[in-house]
Amino acid sequence: MVRTGFWLPLLASALGLLSAEAKVSQKATKHLAGSYVIEFEDSQDPAEFFSHISSKAKTRMNLDYPLFKGASIQFNDLKTAEAEADKLNALAGVKQVWPNRVYYLPNDEVVWQGSAGDESIVQNIKRQTVNDIFTPHVMTQVDKLRANGITGTGVKIGIIDTGVDYNHAALGGCFGEGCLFAYGTDIVGDAYDGDNTPVPDPDPWDGCAGHGTHVSGIIAAQANELGFTGAAPGVTLGMFRVFGCTGGAANDVLIDAFMQAFEAGSNIITASIGGSSGWSEDPWSVAVSRIVEAGVPCTLSAGNDGAYGMFYASTASNGKRVTSVASIDSEVTPLLLTESHFTVDGGEQQTFGYALGDPSGWKNLTLPLWTPSFDVTDPAMACEAFPADTPNLSEYIVLIRRGTCTFVEKVTFAAQAGAKYVMFYNVSPGAIAASASDVPEIIAVGMVDAEQGESWVASLEAGSEVVLDMLDPLTAPVSLSYSPNNITGGFASTFTTWNPTFEMDVKPQLASPGGNILSTYPVPLGAYAVLSGTSMACPLVAAIIALVSNVRGTLDPATLENLLVATAKPQLLNDGTATHGVLAPVVQLGAGIVQAYDAAHATTLLSASSLAYNDTDNLVDTLNFTITNLGSEEVTYDLGSVGAATGYTFSDSIYPDPFPGLELTDEFATITLSESKVTVPAGGDATISVTVTPPDIDGSRLPVYSGYITLNGTNGDSLSLPYNGAVGSLHDTQVLDTGYLSISSDADLNPVTGNASFVLPKTNGTTNATYPVAVALLAFGSPQLNIKLVPAIGSSSDALGHIFGSPYTYASRDPYATAFDGVMADGTYAPAGDYKFSIEALHIFGDASDLADYDIAESVAFSIRYV
Ligand SMILES: *[C@@H]1O[C@H](CO)[C@@H](O)[C@H](O)[C@H]1NC(C)=O
Ligand SMILES: *[C@@H]1O[C@H](CO)[C@@H](O)[C@H](O)[C@H]1NC(C)=O
Ligand SMILES: *[C@@H]1O[C@H](CO)[C@@H](O)[C@H](O)[C@H]1NC(C)=O
Ligand SMILES: *[C@@H]1O[C@H](CO)[C@@H](O)[C@H](O)[C@H]1NC(C)=O
Ligand SMILES: *[C@@H]1O[C@H](CO)[C@@H](O)[C@H](O)[C@H]1NC(C)=O
Ligand SMILES: *[C@@H]1O[C@H](CO)[C@@H](O)[C@H](O)[C@H]1NC(C)=O
Ligand SMILES: *[C@@H]1O[C@H](CO)[C@@H](O)[C@H](O)[C@H]1NC(C)=O
Ligand SMILES: *[C@@H]1O[C@H](CO)[C@@H](O)[C@H](O)[C@H]1NC(C)=O
Ligand SMILES: *[C@@H]1O[C@H](CO)[C@@H](O)[C@H](O)[C@H]1NC(C)=O
């Protein structure tokens, strides 16, 4: 149904040509060709719309909901689809038409997962540290609410995810009325991958992906063998499955899922899903914002793209009023190690633990260890081919230090020397699940902690023989222990996405533990797993909202968000290796780590969850907020402010600096408050004006400043309100790096330098022909990206029009590649001739009708004719 090859995503491997900076932002957005999401005017009968399209398009999904009346459609003829979509705008009943974009699950890291297909792990768990105080709960004061018997009873949380293994005993063991998972549905079916047509069924079971089962346990896992529970085990859950076993989920599916979750009476909706955007105008964001406006708090993960630097906001977390959740690393790392034995020089049998990797064929194996180097500080060990005098490694377990290059690279070099088994040793505390499933020669990989690895290396260096006697991992005992993380524990996870939006909305709202989280996993995939991602932080906040609502008796999204934000604790800046003496920017951690008990019991309510001062062009220098005293006594508040680190978006490139390379300074804005002390009577309120003087620093580098207004009340409330702003002009920021011509047969999409000519078939569907491809490398977000066809001798003003696929609205700062088969946006074929592409990206806050507001790149000339 979908013509492939015409929306060419730039793959990770297809980046040979990109500059170092561009490589950092290598993701490409993907839209379904010829598919659109339509919203109808509320008052209009959509009959006219459906009769208009009946001969031209199929309805993919009916989105007939009070908060979103519309449909998604798929045009039969892709060539005329865009022109037809344009015409829809003119129909009386149509309010908006959006392309149907595809989103993916965040790239959460699987730190550990139980043995596939085996339930005995649970029986074999030996808890070395019986720790009933689950660290993510202690970090967020969930333990204090739970000690008071608060469990989220009576609250329905709708989860949008990959489905759930509700057969898991810790997730209730059943689905339907009376079960923990009482409601929900499968909107897509197992075979759905984002490109094909969803095939719904009523059963949201997840036996293949795992993500949704992990998310579910964070919210509401029941007491289990591993000694933890979810934060709100008393809630009722609904699962709306939007992913099949692989691939993505399109806008229409996500909108439908949110609307179904809302209609089913969810009191809170959560989704750990996103895609790079930076624009609150995305259709999915718009739909989620409406649900929040209708009174249902929605939590969304901020994204796992921390390395990309600032202004990489993820949708739908970037929607107005949507609660965007950043990730903090857990203060302890759960370690689930599979046990086996070893001997040194045939001596006494000793026990060791290792993190099982993928593949995991360690079954009853006894082999000596061999290591390529005795230097336990050599970071690049096994990052190049092993020397020629290396013995045949097929009868050894190869011991390799983790670091510098990937597991797959190290294992590949070992395999070239005959290896089939590789045991890594770690360089940081604990051990993680190494993956080398892409290397066919390898039968098993694993990882021991640094201490164990170094001790083996010392024995080998001393000339001893170390023999590992591997037990079958399916039946070997597993030990659970917790190792303190004193490097990043309690601070931002390095992967958490940096904001703000391209329109300076304050994002994320707050943070919670998402790094190294133990939770449930589908029984066929091992029953339990430790994962890291904002995907894990987000559901914890949804659960906390349920707990707080139990105490306060309200589910009003603004009230709850304002309380959670005001009571959250800002954290010091940590770059993954060290902590600095300045607070982490609001654009990274929002209000800081959520504090459930304080939010439940604060008697002070602030009227806002943030103050946005915008950039220099749009500076609103004074913003107000109101303090309401809900208590029964008069309260005096001391008011102050504290700056968080200011980050320069750019240094010497038009691409934002990556993190941790991002330059941060303690040049703060100056905050002037209308009062430094205010007394508010019981039940009364007071309005405070906050005036900002941005720091006097180089606006050409677009520094983003932020910090907190602080309030200490005589009632014991200690609150903070985040603010942010930018120095410089978003409007004047260059958005287009370059635009050029490439050819569809080049997977790397290198620029074509010479004169190129193309012979194009006028057929539907994929052919063997080579097509011209317009490539736009966006260094920053653009509200509109045009790809126009221009005569070889001519300029943008002589353009024949947009090519099919153009324009893109609300473009993220990513590469966009569009193949051209001769078809223009209006469905007609361009005449044979000599042309070039004019690639035009509109500046932020620019005027779409003024060419002077665009960055324009022209490709080299090329000629087209038809078969
Ligand atoms: C492409 O396919 C559509 C629908 O199958 C058909 O209406 C149209 O005529 C075809 N166009 C060409 C050029 O074959
Ligand atoms: C592995 O060894 C154990 C203990 O000797 C034995 O019970 C089990 O059957 C063996 N498994 C295989 C696959 O050989
Ligand atoms: C190592 O030995 C095995 C078994 O004798 C043999 O199949 C393999 O080709 C050898 N590998 C190398 C790299 O020499
Ligand atoms: C973390 O703990 C380890 C072991 O207790 C210690 O050696 C190290 O210095 C600590 N690091 C920091 C940053 O505190
Ligand atoms: C910043 O100013 C622009 C232009 O007026 C506006 O569109 C945008 O919404 C403002 N941003 C915020 C967060 O208020
Ligand atoms: C803030 O409050 C002051 C004093 O009450 C008022 O003059 C001003 O208009 C308010 N500003 C905004 C942006 O609401
Ligand atoms: C509020 O209390 C905190 C912690 O004691 C302190 O750091 C901060 O300066 C106080 N703020 C004001 C405005 O007094
Ligand atoms: C490309 O074609 C133009 C016009 O046909 C010609 O003037 C020019 O020299 C050619 N350039 C190359 C690099 O072949
Ligand atoms: C594409 O190329 C293959 C192999 O060269 C050939 O078998 C096939 O018929 C071609 N298809 C079209 C549509 O030209």
Side-chain angles (χ1 to χ4, degrees):
M1 178 190 76
V2 171
R3 180 172 56 173
T4 53
F6 280 76
W7 303 88
L8 297 171
L10 283 183
L11 305 173
S13 61
L15 289 161
L17 70 131
L18 301 184
S19 63
E21 297 92 333
K23 276 183 189 169
V24 176
S25 85
Q26 61 188 221
K27 302 188 168 184
T29 52
K30 179 173 173 179
H31 299 79
L32 290 180
S35 181
Y36 295 85
V37 178
I38 322 290
E39 187 180 12
F40 306 134
E41 297 288 357
D42 288 342
S43 51
Q44 291 275 340
D45 178 357
E48 185 194 347
F49 168 82
F50 284 111
S51 82
H52 175 87
I53 63 147
S54 62
S55 59
K56 302 170 182 148
K58 283 192 289 285
T59 302
R60 265 173 64 97
M61 297 182 111
N62 255 311
L63 302 168
D64 188 12
Y65 299 104
L67 295 183
F68 196 100
K69 252 179 83 176
S72 64
I73 59 167
Q74 174 67 52
F75 283 105
N76 302 328
D77 186 350
L78 293 175
K79 295 212 178 339
T80 55
E82 201 175 335
E84 290 292 346
D86 260 1
K87 287 185 206 154
L88 297 179
N89 277 311
L91 293 180
V94 171
K95 193 163 160 187
Q96 255 189 106
V97 180
W98 290 283
N100 206 359
R101 183 181 161 187
V102 180
Y103 297 93
Y104 296 90
L105 281 172
N107 51 336
D108 303 314
E109 183 189 36
V110 177
V111 181
W112 173 87
Q113 91 182 59
S115 321
D118 182 67
E119 292 169 58
S120 62
I121 171 202
V122 172
Q123 280 87 55
N124 290 329
I125 288 275
K126 295 200 306 191
R127 265 182 282 151
Q128 288 176 342
T129 315
V130 181
N131 198 344
D132 286 325
I133 301 159
F134 195 50
T135 303
H137 296 176
V138 177
M139 292 172 70
T140 53
Q141 298 182 333
V142 164
D143 60 330
K144 291 174 80 176
L145 289 178
R146 293 286 298 283
N148 291 352
I150 309 296
T151 61
T153 313
V155 179
K156 291 173 75 177
I157 301 183
I159 306 171
I160 318 295
D161 213 297
T162 62
V164 57
D165 183 2
Y166 46 72
N167 293 326
H168 198 302
L171 293 173
C174 60
F175 175 64
E177 193 73 39
C179 298
L180 173 61
F181 272 92
Y183 67 108
T185 188
D186 181 354
I187 293 170
V188 294
D190 275 5
Y192 180 64
D193 62 9
D195 282 341
N196 51 8
T197 308
V199 182
D201 69 71
D203 181 0
W205 186 69
D206 168 19
C208 54
H211 189 269
T213 303
H214 199 268
V215 161
S216 301
I218 290 169
I219 299 175
Q222 310 294 298
N224 55 61
E225 303 85 345
L226 269 64
F228 70 95
T229 68
V235 298
T236 298
L237 295 176
M239 173 57 72
F240 296 84
R241 184 183 189 217
V242 293
F243 290 94
C245 290
T246 57
N251 265 325
D252 52 359
V253 166
L254 291 163
I255 294 171
D256 190 57
F258 267 86
M259 291 299 159
Q260 286 204 42
F262 175 76
E263 291 292 302
S266 302
N267 303 114
I268 298 163
I269 303 175
T270 189
S272 293
I273 306 169
S276 88
S277 164
W279 302 98
S280 61
E281 292 86 347
D282 291 306
W284 175 32
S285 293
V286 168
V288 179
S289 297
R290 279 188 205 158
I291 290 176
V292 181
E293 273 154 35
V296 173
C298 292
T299 50
L300 275 101
S301 52
N304 297 348
D305 292 322
Y308 290 64
M310 290 198 291
F311 290 98
Y312 208 67
S314 164
T315 197
S317 74
N318 57 199
K320 305 267 184 201
R321 306 190 63 181
V322 176
T323 303
S324 170
V325 183
S327 174
I328 284 194
D329 280 352
S330 174
E331 285 168 358
V332 300
T333 305
L335 278 179
L336 287 121
L337 301 182
T338 302
E339 287 188 3
S340 273
H341 302 126
F342 71 99
T343 56
V344 179
D345 291 332
E348 196 188 326
Q349 192 179 62
Q350 303 179 59
T351 298
F352 73 99
Y354 67 101
L356 199 59
D358 180 20
S360 58
W362 287 113
K363 242 184 242 187
N364 292 10
L365 179 84
T366 301
L367 285 177
L369 276 181
W370 183 89
T371 185
S373 164
F374 298 137
D375 180 0
V376 296
T377 62
D378 174 12
M381 188 187 293
C383 285
E384 53 187 43
F386 287 32
D389 61 358
T390 302
N392 184 327
L393 297 177
S394 63
E395 293 304 316
Y396 290 98
I397 294 170
V398 183
L399 180 64
I400 302 176
R401 185 184 190 272
R402 178 185 181 188
T404 306
C405 61
T406 64
F407 295 131
V408 167
E409 286 169 293
K410 292 185 184 228
V411 157
T412 302
F413 290 126
Q416 283 165 7
K420 293 182 282 196
Y421 306 96
V422 173
M423 187 63 79
F424 289 99
Y425 60 98
N426 208 351
V427 292
S428 47
I432 68 161
S435 175
S437 52
D438 295 347
V439 187
E441 296 85 357
I442 296 295
I443 299 170
V445 294
M447 186 185 291
V448 293
D449 65 17
E451 210 180 347
Q452 182 65 69
E454 288 167 16
S455 132
W456 282 340
V457 172
S459 300
L460 294 172
E461 190 173 16
S464 293
E465 188 184 47
V466 180
V467 175
L468 303 194
D469 183 6
M470 304 299 291
L471 300 176
D472 183 347
L474 285 182
T475 50
V478 173
S479 64
L480 168 63
S481 60
Y482 292 94
S483 101
N485 174 355
N486 63 354
I487 299 167
T488 59
F491 302 110
S493 304
T494 52
F495 56 73
T496 203
T497 290
W498 290 68
N499 286 266
T501 69
F502 293 120
E503 295 166 311
M504 289 307 296
D505 299 288
V506 176
K507 293 281 167 182
Q509 269 55 54
L510 40 73
S512 83
N516 293 313
I517 306 300
L518 171 65
S519 184
T520 44
Y521 221 45
V523 173
L525 301 182
Y528 293 93
V530 177
L531 265 58
S532 287
T534 52
S535 292
M536 285 67 242
C538 177
L540 181 54
V541 173
I544 287 171
I545 292 174
L547 299 178
V548 173
S549 79
N550 269 181
V551 176
R552 302 196 74 104
T554 178
L555 275 156
D556 176 58
T559 303
L560 289 166
E561 183 181 280
N562 295 353
L563 283 163
L564 289 172
V565 160
T567 52
K569 290 281 169 273
Q571 298 294 311
L572 291 176
L573 176 68
N574 179 292
D575 58 15
T577 54
T579 305
H580 304 274
V582 58
L583 291 174
V586 169
V587 296
Q588 187 194 28
L589 282 188
I593 185 165
V594 59
Q595 299 292 288
Y597 186 89
D598 292 347
H601 293 288
T603 56
T604 308
L605 182 62
L606 306 185
S607 62
S609 64
S610 62
L611 302 174
Y613 288 102
N614 226 324
D615 66 351
T616 302
D617 295 345
N618 301 293
L619 177 66
V620 187
D621 68 353
T622 301
L623 293 169
N624 298 344
F625 73 96
T626 301
I627 308 170
T628 302
N629 175 6
L630 304 172
S632 52
E633 309 276 330
E634 171 183 286
V635 178
T636 299
Y637 297 92
D638 279 329
L639 301 171
S641 71
V642 55
T646 295
Y648 286 98
T649 306
F650 304 106
S651 49
D652 49 6
S653 161
I654 58 164
Y655 284 89
D657 284 357
F659 177 73
L662 193 64
E663 186 183 332
L664 295 153
T665 86
D666 53 7
E667 306 260 9
F668 307 134
T670 306
I671 296 290
T672 310
L673 298 162
S674 56
E675 334 271 343
S676 61
K677 202 184 252 305
V678 63
T679 299
V680 186
D685 54 42
T687 295
I688 306 295
S689 295
V690 186
T691 303
V692 73
T693 308
D696 184 15
I697 49 179
D698 184 1
S700 70
R701 296 179 58 195
L702 199 65
V704 176
Y705 61 84
S706 62
Y708 304 88
I709 313 303
T710 60
L711 302 89
N712 293 335
T714 49
N715 62 347
D717 282 350
S718 175
L719 309 176
S720 54
L721 176 64
Y723 64 84
N724 79 6
V727 182
S729 170
L730 283 164
H731 175 269
D732 294 349
T733 300
Q734 183 178 340
V735 293
L736 183 65
D737 170 0
T738 181
Y740 61 85
L741 173 71
S742 186
I743 56 175
S744 59
S745 54
D746 178 3
D748 290 340
L749 294 176
N750 288 297
V752 172
T753 45
N755 285 346
S757 55
F758 299 88
V759 180
L760 306 174
K762 283 191 176 178
T763 55
N764 283 341
T766 311
T767 70
N768 288 355
T770 300
Y771 298 94
V773 178
V775 179
L777 300 183
L778 286 176
F780 217 54
S782 170
Q784 184 172 325
L785 171 63
N786 300 333
I787 317 286
K788 292 181 183 162
L789 190 67
V790 175
I793 304 160
S795 68
S796 179
S797 51
D798 309 312
L800 278 74
H802 292 261
I803 68 165
F804 181 84
S806 169
Y808 297 89
T809 51
Y810 300 113
S812 56
R813 59 169 173 93
D814 294 306
Y816 283 73
T818 315
F820 177 54
D821 61 356
V823 179
M824 304 298 292
D826 65 4
T828 61
Y829 278 94
D834 294 337
Y835 296 104
K836 56 195 176 185
F837 292 126
S838 178
I839 295 162
E840 308 165 355
L842 180 62
H843 282 199
I844 295 168
F845 303 141
D847 174 356
S849 64
D850 182 359
L851 266 190
D853 267 359
Y854 289 81
D855 292 333
I856 300 179
E858 279 189 355
S859 75
V860 296
F862 59 94
S863 75
I864 56 167
R865 61 194 173 79
Y866 298 94
V867 187

